[in-house]
Every structure is written in C-alpha cells, then in structure tokens.
C-alpha cells in the first residue's frame, strides 16, 4: 500500500506529530474517503494536516457525532515574540479552522446565509476541484469541499500571505486516519449507561491546558451532553461567581455550584489531583435533570470528581494526543 509521509511540527511541550501511515482501504487513489458515515465515532480522531503555514502555538481537536473540528494557530513567520503572546490567536497569528461534517450533515449550519429567493445554499462560487472533488469558495475566503459523496468540509485560513495558495495547500494536505482519541485522564464512577458523545483536546505553548469528555445518559432529541468531565491547569477558584461554594473533598480544595435546572447546570471542581500534577483541576458539569438524578447531589458529584485519575505518562502531552 502507498505510504503517506507527513511532517513534524513541535512547539516546546506541545507536539502535533505526524507519522508514516499506510493508506487505509476505503480510500480513493487520491487518498480521499470513498464514503462518509452518517454519524462519526466521537472516540476517534479522523483527520490531521500535512501542511501548516508556520510554527504552532495553539491547537484544538473537537469531536461531535456529526462533525469533527480542528482549530490551529501560530505566529506568522518573522513575527517577533512578545511577553504578551498567549496560547490563543492574536493579530499576529495565522489561524486555521476545519469543520468536517458527516454524510448529509450541513457543514455550514453555523454560518449559512439565507437568500429569500434561492433559499439556503452552499456559500460561494465553484472553483477548481481539490484532489478531483468539487469545491466552492466565497468572498470571505471560506472553502467548501466535498471530501466524500454528500459529505463536506469547511476550511478557513486567516492571517497569511498568498491566501488563495495557502488555503489550497492546507486543503490538499488533509489526511484521513482512524485513531483512538486519547485523553490525559480516566473517569470512574460514571453512571452505567453513560456513553461518550464528544470530546475536546486542547494544547498550547503557553496558558492553561484543557481537555474534556461529554457523556449522554440515553438518547435525547438535541444530543446535548448530560455530564461533562474535564481536566485543566486553571485554579480551582477559576470562574467562580455568587453561586460558588468553597468546599473540600477528602482534604482536597474544591468548589461547587449546585445543579438547579437545565438552564443553571451544576459545576464541581476539585484540585490537587493525585498523580503528580499539582496544578491539575478536575471539573464535572451536571447538565440535565437525569444526570442530577443519576449521579446524585453535591456530595456524590464531588466524589465522582475526586475519583478522576491521570493516565500513566500524562506529563508527556504527546500521549494525550489522538494518534
């Protein structure tokens, strides 16, 4: 089988790594998927990039059942570093966002324009195909690409010179893979019927690290998570408000905002995570009544948060990354 050779981009402890992979069966001679599912596995990473327009500062990979999203940013080539540089995009950064939708899912559902005469339409005019498949581009530089039959990607690139050329190089450098989504923590004590419905991994050169997993307790029409379990390096007291109570769990500092309704979810944060990460904080969000009933009140949710443990090798951020 043909091999896909990719490049390596490293920033301090943050690694977006690419490896030599055999082309999977189910791809075309151009390396594209022959088909896309109606629903993705939220526990897998499905694509990565072969080309970046510069060094990397901040990266996010997010999964949903019908869409996967990657966001990357970094300093422009030649841009001077400053003390104010943070993990997040600034005016000096290049930025890439790619949304990959499942088959028959509207990849432009968040930004689609409505024309009273034409109705909803794929924004932009048809441009030269990308790797043999149809592509459209609007005046704002958004490229819509049918990466598989009836399945689309939305690609945006900002903050670069030679925008058209860079946008096409980024798109042509998209590569498909099915690899487990690796989180830096393990959640135990979840309800028996908890099912992973999405995840978010975030890495940065500076600033807090964040990762989270979303769980459903049975089907719901809107697909919103019932429980969210996350890990960050922000302080326990971060994001506190008038509803926040300072508490302790087994001698560990914690805060609690108790669940009251679907519009006022509960938020429970526990610090001093065992395993050697003195700055790591576990966060459990109770997003629905059935989650509140399944897990219990404050004491039970805090016990759940306190049961979260780091995986072996968590300090190697490359091991967090889906690979």
């Amino acid at each position: 089988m043909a091999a896909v050779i990719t490049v390596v981009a490293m920033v301090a402890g943050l690694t977006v790594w690419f490896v030599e992979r055999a082309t999977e069966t189910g791809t075309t001679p151009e390396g594209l998927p022959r088909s896309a599912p109606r629903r993705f596995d939220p526990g897998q990473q499905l694509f990565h990039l072969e080309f970046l327009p510069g060094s990397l500062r901040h990266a996010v990979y997010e999964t949903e059942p019908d869409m996967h999203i990657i966001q990357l940013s970094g300093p422009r080539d030649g841009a001077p570093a400053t003390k104010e540089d943070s993990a997040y995009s600034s005016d000096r950064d290049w930025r890439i966002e790619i949304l990959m939708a499942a088959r028959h899912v509207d990849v432009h559902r968040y930004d689609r324009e409505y024309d009273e005469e034409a109705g909803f339409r794929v924004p932009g005019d048809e441009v030269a195909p990308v790797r043999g498949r149809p592509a459209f581009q609007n005046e704002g530089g958004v490229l819509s690409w049918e990466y598989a039959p009836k399945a689309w990607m939305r690609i945006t690139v900002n903050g670069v010179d030679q925008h058209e050329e860079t946008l096409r190089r980024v798109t042509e450098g998209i590569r498909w893979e099915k690899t487990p989504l690796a989180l830096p923590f393990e959640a135990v004590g979840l309800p028996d019927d908890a099912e992973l419905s999405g995840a978010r991994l975030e890495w940065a050169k500076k600033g807090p690290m964040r990762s989270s997993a979303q769980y459903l307790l049975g089907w719901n029409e809107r697909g919103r998570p019932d429980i969210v379990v996350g890990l960050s390096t922000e302080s326990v007291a971060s994001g506190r408000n008038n509803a926040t109570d300072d508490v302790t769990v087994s001698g560990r500092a914690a805060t609690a905002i108790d669940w009251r309704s679907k519009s006022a979810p509960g938020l429970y944060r526990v610090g001093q995570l065992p395993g050697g990460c003195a700055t790591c904080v576990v966060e459990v969000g109770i997003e629905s009544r059935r989650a509140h009933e399944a897990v219990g009140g404050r004491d039970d949710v805090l016990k759940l948060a306190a049961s979260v443990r780091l995986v072996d090798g968590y300090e190697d951020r490359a091991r967090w990354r889906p690979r």
Side-chain angles (χ1 to χ4, degrees), residues 38-309:
R38 288 182 176 269
R39 289 179 65 83
F40 294 134
D41 181 348
Q44 289 184 332
Q45 178 181 353
L46 300 179
F47 71 102
H48 65 259
L49 303 188
E50 188 176 61
F51 170 78
L52 299 178
S55 60
L56 188 65
R57 173 184 286 138
H58 182 224
V60 174
Y61 193 99
E62 189 171 359
T63 72
E64 301 175 7
D66 59 358
M67 195 173 294
H68 281 216
I69 301 168
I70 193 168
Q71 296 172 323
L72 305 171
S73 65
R76 300 179 191 177
D77 290 340
T82 69
K83 293 182 178 179
E84 289 73 28
D85 280 348
S86 69
Y88 306 102
S89 298
S90 71
D91 291 340
R92 295 180 298 278
D93 281 354
W94 56 263
R95 296 176 296 280
I96 294 172
E97 180 183 67
I98 299 176
L99 281 66
M100 180 175 73
R103 183 160 45 98
H104 294 303
V105 172
D106 183 6
V107 74
H108 289 283
R109 64 189 179 197
Y110 301 125
D111 64 349
R112 183 180 290 280
E113 297 179 358
Y114 184 77
D115 185 307
E116 291 185 358
E117 295 183 0
F120 291 103
R121 59 186 177 85
V122 175
D125 299 319
E126 189 166 7
V127 294
V130 177
R131 296 164 70 181
R133 297 211 56 86
F136 296 78
Q137 186 171 336
N138 70 8
E139 294 180 356
V142 176
L143 186 70
S144 306
W145 178 42
E146 191 180 30
Y147 70 92
K150 309 297 182 181
W152 292 81
M153 300 185 90
R154 175 190 183 275
I155 303 102
T156 59
V157 177
N158 294 299
V160 297
D161 297 327
Q162 299 177 321
H163 180 270
E164 299 294 329
E165 178 183 344
T166 302
L167 179 61
R168 186 160 285 264
R169 287 189 67 185
V170 168
T171 306
E172 291 177 346
I174 295 170
R175 297 293 180 265
W176 278 264
E177 61 183 353
K178 290 184 179 180
T179 53
L181 196 70
L183 292 167
F185 62 87
E186 295 176 334
V188 297
L190 288 166
D192 292 339
D193 59 345
E195 179 181 352
L196 182 70
S197 63
R200 177 185 171 92
L201 294 176
E202 183 174 350
W203 317 264
K205 181 180 179 181
K206 299 179 182 178
M209 298 296 103
R210 300 186 183 93
S211 59
S212 63
Q214 302 174 3
Y215 298 90
L216 288 176
L217 304 180
W219 182 85
N220 70 65
E221 183 176 357
R222 303 192 69 178
R224 290 182 174 177
D226 296 296
I227 301 172
V228 179
V229 180
L231 177 72
S232 78
T233 54
E234 295 176 297
S235 68
V236 173
S238 176
R240 64 180 302 115
N241 58 41
N242 294 334
T244 304
D245 293 331
D246 294 314
V247 295
T248 59
V249 182
S250 302
R252 296 163 59 186
T255 61
I257 300 175
D258 291 323
W259 182 88
R260 296 188 300 279
S261 70
K262 63 181 180 180
S263 59
L267 187 62
Y268 306 82
R269 311 185 83 240
V270 179
Q272 300 166 282
L273 185 65
C277 182
T279 59
C280 286
V281 177
V282 175
E283 182 174 284
V284 175
I286 300 299
E287 307 287 328
S288 68
R289 178 179 296 279
R290 62 181 174 182
H292 176 69
E293 293 173 349
V295 178
R298 174 185 292 186
D299 290 345
D300 295 308
V301 183
L302 288 171
K303 184 184 296 185
L304 168 61
S307 73
V308 173
R309 294 291 183 270

